[in-house]
Amino acid sequence: MARTIQSLERAAAMLRLLAGGERRLGLSDVASALGLAKGTAHGILRTLQQEGFVEQDPASGRYQLGAELLRLGNSYLDVHELRARALLWADDLARSSGESVYLGVLHQQGVLIVHHVFRPDDSRQVLEVGAMQPLHSTALGKVLCAYDPVAHSQLLEAEREAFTGRTVTALPDLEGVLDLTRARGWSADVEETWDGVASVAAPIHDRHRMPVGAVGITGAVERFCEGGELRAQLVAAVRDCARAVSRDLGAGRF
């Protein structure tokens, strides 16, 4: 039987420890739980932190899983599987909402459209699979930034252009938008990217309950809004679609 590398075994044990139960642990907690000397535990944690697999809270000094680990987890799910699982549900969403449906994933500081279902009418439309959308102003982008730490970090680095008078570009204001997105489970774009156009999107999670994409609908503001508010039935339809795709990916009930 081949010999194992002890330091890698210990690092893996630390990651499993941080992934289960209490998500933030101090150095003493980690060392005690794994039966390691504090110096040994600290050295491994520092290495994991340098690689982005672990993050340390500046205020408490406690450790938690890092964004790089989430990125690797996301890459485990093939985009084609995500698209395949979403095909039927996206078609249903287009029929029930009467609007165009987009499936997006994080890619190079933006949202890559990997599936697009046309609005079910006779209007002339252009297939937008392969198109990129900004993170800060679109409903798809804001959902990804709210739930995916990697997307959030890319939002901080990306150029935040004001496409319309409604575009939110200031970071403190954007953080407030993301907090609201997490609180209600969906995000909206009402003329923040294109004049006269509104969107609603919700997150898709995999079997590890990690965010792997977002699904949304896009259409004319007058069809999306009534009395200055988004139509509740459209929001509900998008959320139902996102939950259905997540369940098909093994996420269970959200």
Side-chain angles (χ1 to χ4, degrees):
M1 183 176 179
R3 294 180 61 186
T4 58
I5 301 175
Q6 188 180 54
S7 59
L8 292 180
E9 288 181 332
R10 289 171 171 174
M14 283 185 186
L15 294 176
R16 293 192 188 98
L17 179 65
L18 292 172
E22 191 176 348
R23 293 303 179 92
R24 289 186 178 182
L25 297 173
L27 173 60
S28 296
D29 300 322
V30 174
S32 177
L34 300 179
L36 299 175
K38 282 188 179 181
T40 301
H42 186 250
I44 296 173
L45 284 168
R46 285 291 300 274
T47 302
L48 291 172
Q49 184 179 1
Q50 289 172 5
E51 295 300 324
F53 296 134
V54 165
E55 295 174 356
Q56 186 178 28
D57 180 64
S60 67
R62 290 176 171 266
Y63 294 90
Q64 64 183 22
L65 294 181
E68 181 65 13
L69 195 65
L70 178 60
R71 186 189 68 80
L72 291 178
N74 286 350
S75 67
Y76 180 78
L77 176 72
D78 191 283
V79 168
H80 296 297
E81 181 186 354
L82 172 61
R83 182 178 179 276
R85 298 286 186 176
L87 287 176
L88 177 62
W89 299 112
D91 286 345
D92 286 348
L93 177 58
R95 283 192 293 269
S96 65
S97 67
E99 303 295 346
S100 300
V101 177
Y102 294 88
L103 183 68
V105 299
L106 178 66
H107 181 67
Q108 295 180 350
Q109 296 187 343
V111 183
L112 173 66
I113 303 302
V114 297
H115 186 53
H116 174 200
V117 182
F118 285 163
R119 185 172 61 254
D121 59 20
D122 296 327
S123 62
R124 183 179 178 85
Q125 300 174 62
V126 177
L127 186 66
E128 295 187 43
V129 172
M132 293 290 293
Q133 293 187 4
L135 288 173
H136 70 287
S137 63
T138 61
L140 291 171
K142 285 184 277 188
V143 161
L144 291 175
C145 291
Y147 288 91
D148 184 346
V150 178
H152 183 267
S153 65
Q154 291 189 10
L155 173 69
L156 305 182
E157 301 169 1
E159 180 181 352
R160 298 187 292 273
E161 180 180 349
F163 300 108
T164 73
R166 291 174 174 264
T167 308
V168 178
T169 59
L171 189 56
D173 296 332
L174 274 173
E175 293 290 3
V177 171
L178 300 184
D179 286 341
L180 177 60
T181 297
R182 285 185 287 268
R184 62 188 184 184
W186 57 276
S187 190
D189 163 11
V190 180
E191 296 189 286
E192 295 177 50
T193 311
W194 302 280
D195 288 321
V197 177
S199 301
V200 175
I204 296 172
H205 297 81
D206 68 5
R207 62 182 175 277
H208 304 294
R209 297 207 166 192
M210 290 183 174
V212 293
V215 64
I217 57 174
T218 298
V221 170
E222 56 267 24
R223 295 196 302 269
F224 272 61
C225 298
E226 185 176 22
E229 298 291 333
L230 286 162
R231 296 179 185 273
Q233 62 268 34
L234 292 180
V235 174
V238 171
R239 297 193 70 190
D240 287 345
C241 178
R243 290 191 189 105
V245 178
S246 296
R247 285 197 299 270
D248 276 3
L249 290 171
R253 189 173 184 85
F254 270 80

